[in-house]
Amino acid sequence: MSSRELVLARVRAALRDAPVVPEVPRDYRPAGTNTPDIEVLVDRLVDYKAEVYRVTSAEVAATVSGLVGEGGTVLVPPGLPDEWRPEGAFADDDLTPDRIAAADAVLTAAAVAVAETGTIVLDASPDQGRRIITLLPDVHVIVLRPAQVVASVPDAVARLDATRPLTWISGPSATSDIELNRVEGVHGPRNLRVLLLTD
């Protein structure tokens, strides 16, 4: 008997008297059962220490300029609408990590937002760009259209393409050390700003 056969025989013997595992219920809440509530999303985002601004499409560029301050640099993905780009913004054309990290902020769109959890999902579409551009700058500004807000995670999953690279964001990057002290900016931007379009 080979070593493999010996190990497998021992595993089978150990499991011989194991209790039968009951069927796990799979009757999860389906998509489309609730209406999205934008106020719930805003409440969750603020609770996560994100800042939310209600602006029109025409006000996006000026709002971003105000957030980064005079002389601040803003990185944008190549497919971001021109009207949203603040003056002096530069596009990611396969920039190096050092150049990306040197930007004061990154401005992107989003794929979908979940009101119930306060989560915004990016799917690397041209208006959202590569994942790296949303991880290195200290400030991430996301433009969100009201039609992109869904009620629950099943609703978001139903809208998303599972073959795309998905980034799920619930507030600024934060973690806790062993003494439960909150540490921000470990896995991404320390500051999240959401521009919720009103038009």
Side-chain angles (χ1 to χ4, degrees), residues 121-197:
V121 185
L122 309 181
D123 68 1
S125 291
D127 61 357
Q128 297 155 48
R130 301 184 293 156
R131 185 165 190 252
I132 191 172
I133 70 170
T134 65
L135 295 175
L136 298 181
D138 194 47
V139 178
H140 186 180
V141 182
I142 300 175
V143 180
L144 187 62
R145 298 173 179 94
Q148 294 175 304
V149 179
V150 297
S152 65
V153 172
D155 295 314
V157 171
R159 280 200 190 185
L160 294 167
D161 179 353
T163 64
R164 297 193 61 80
L166 302 176
T167 303
W168 296 65
I169 302 167
S170 294
S173 171
T175 190
S176 293
D177 64 16
I178 196 165
E179 295 172 349
L180 299 181
N181 294 317
R182 183 178 167 95
V183 180
E184 297 176 345
V186 176
H187 308 106
R190 286 185 301 145
N191 300 285
L192 179 64
R193 310 286 186 255
V194 179
L195 307 186
L196 185 59
L197 297 184

Side-chain angles (χ1 to χ4, degrees):
M1 178 180 284
S2 70
S3 296
R4 180 180 186 275
E5 292 167 336
L6 178 63
V7 169
L8 291 175
R10 288 180 182 168
V11 169
R12 286 187 196 98
L15 294 175
R16 191 172 301 128
D17 298 327
V20 177
V21 177
E23 184 64 29
V24 176
R26 303 284 183 196
D27 54 348
Y28 303 122
R29 180 176 48 178
T33 55
N34 291 324
T35 304
D37 186 338
I38 291 179
E39 296 311 314
V40 171
L41 173 67
V42 171
D43 183 60
R44 299 292 191 272
L45 289 168
V46 170
D47 191 47
Y48 290 147
K49 300 190 181 341
E51 293 179 13
V52 179
Y53 302 86
R54 295 174 195 259
V55 300
T56 65
S57 294
E59 297 171 323
V60 169
T63 302
V64 174
S65 292
L67 291 173
V68 297
E70 191 174 330
T73 56
V74 179
L75 172 63
V76 297
L80 194 76
D82 289 336
E83 71 171 320
W84 292 356
R85 298 176 186 216
E87 189 174 329
F90 61 99
D92 172 39
D93 55 357
D94 290 325
L95 297 172
T96 63
D98 290 346
R99 181 69 177 104
I100 294 168
D104 293 309
V106 60
L107 171 64
T108 71
V112 69
V114 183
E116 187 175 71
T117 62
T119 303
I120 299 172
V121 185
L122 309 181
D123 68 1
S125 291
D127 61 357
Q128 297 155 48
R130 301 184 293 156
R131 185 165 190 252
I132 191 172
I133 70 170
T134 65
L135 295 175
L136 298 181
D138 194 47
V139 178
H140 186 180
V141 182
I142 300 175
V143 180
L144 187 62
R145 298 173 179 94
Q148 294 175 304
V149 179
V150 297
S152 65
V153 172
D155 295 314
V157 171
R159 280 200 190 185
L160 294 167
D161 179 353
T163 64
R164 297 193 61 80
L166 302 176
T167 303
W168 296 65
I169 302 167
S170 294
S173 171
T175 190
S176 293
D177 64 16
I178 196 165
E179 295 172 349
L180 299 181
N181 294 317
R182 183 178 167 95
V183 180
E184 297 176 345
V186 176
H187 308 106
R190 286 185 301 145
N191 300 285
L192 179 64
R193 310 286 186 255
V194 179
L195 307 186
L196 185 59
L197 297 184
T198 57
D199 54 355

